[in-house]
Amino acid sequence: MRLPRPTYANVCSTIALFLAVGGTAWAAATLPEGSVTTREIQNGTIRGVDVRNGSLTSADFANGTLLRGARGETGAGGAPGAAGATGSTGATGLGGQAGTAGADGRNASEPLRSGETVYGVAGGNDWVGGGGITNYVSLPARAPTALDSAHVNTAEGYDADPACTGSAASPTAPAGKVCIYFFQWNAAACQNEQGYDSSELGRYGFAFTFQQEGVLNCVIQAVWAYTAP
């Protein structure tokens, strides 16, 4: 039996059927790399299973679409850095302005001022059989007026003056007077303890005298105060 000779129409229909059945697989197997673009992909057709795990980075996602992770623990502090080099010495500052000159000091030849009090010491030892002790005491500056015997007195003993109300620890004197206070005094062995003025001393000092009596030595240590009138 002779087969009929294929016609053009039969060949075309056979090729069309082949393409309809296997065309999809053929296309997938023969598409070159990079030939599929956004235009060829239908929206909503790409799924998670179509993306290789770990192939996407944060740059592939829009801002705000990735959730922020929990804050990590604070890392350990780094080791202290090496000390820096010593800086250069700064420039010397400008000197300050000179202060105003102070008032002239007290002139040693200036007389004591009214109400000013000065202090000193007096005394001595008079042994048994001695002839008495006389102290000549100099003021540290001239008295405004000359002293007299009535204004040079002890606080106790032979020449006691009730106006001398201070003590050896805190000597005082009324205006115009010298008051002598005994710091050590053997009253039983001393007599004639008195202060007085001498014309030779004038405004520059005074005298203080005492002498031994009985069988004991006379010892006097005293401080004095003078207040200018």
Side-chain angles (χ1 to χ4, degrees):
M1 178 179 179
R2 179 182 291 182
L3 294 175
R5 186 177 183 179
T7 64
Y8 176 79
N10 290 336
V11 174
C12 288
S13 62
T14 301
I15 294 175
L17 177 61
F18 173 77
L19 292 177
V21 175
T24 302
W26 174 81
T30 58
L31 289 176
E33 183 179 355
S35 63
V36 179
T37 63
T38 301
R39 186 173 59 185
E40 282 78 27
I41 298 175
Q42 184 177 357
N43 290 340
T45 60
I46 300 299
R47 299 174 298 170
V49 296
D50 299 317
V51 180
R52 187 176 62 187
N53 290 340
S55 63
L56 299 180
T57 66
S58 59
D60 297 317
F61 296 87
N63 290 336
T65 59
L66 295 179
L67 297 178
R68 182 183 297 274
R71 180 184 293 273
E73 296 182 358
T74 302
T86 303
S88 57
T89 303
T92 302
L94 298 177
Q97 294 182 346
T100 56
D104 292 339
R106 177 85 172 269
N107 192 316
S109 63
E110 179 184 346
L112 294 173
R113 298 167 184 171
S114 177
E116 187 173 15
T117 302
V118 292
Y119 308 90
V121 297
N125 302 330
D126 189 12
W127 307 119
V128 175
I133 297 294
T134 299
N135 291 178
Y136 294 98
V137 181
S138 176
L139 297 175
R142 288 181 300 154
T145 59
L147 295 171
D148 58 34
S149 296
H151 288 78
V152 183
N153 305 99
T154 61
E156 53 188 328
Y158 177 81
D159 194 25
D161 185 345
C164 296
T165 58
S167 66
S170 182
T172 61
K177 281 197 171 187
V178 173
C179 288
I180 303 170
Y181 298 93
F182 299 150
F183 186 79
Q184 180 178 353
W185 176 43
N186 183 1
C190 300
Q191 64 180 356
N192 297 329
E193 310 94 339
Q194 60 182 313
Y196 62 93
D197 164 71
S198 172
S199 59
E200 291 83 1
L201 302 179
R203 297 164 57 187
Y204 298 98
F206 61 91
F208 170 61
T209 187
F210 61 92
Q211 65 186 70
Q212 180 272 342
E213 67 177 3
V215 295
L216 299 175
N217 295 326
C218 173
V219 178
I220 292 180
Q221 295 180 5
V223 297
W224 57 265
Y226 167 67
T227 301

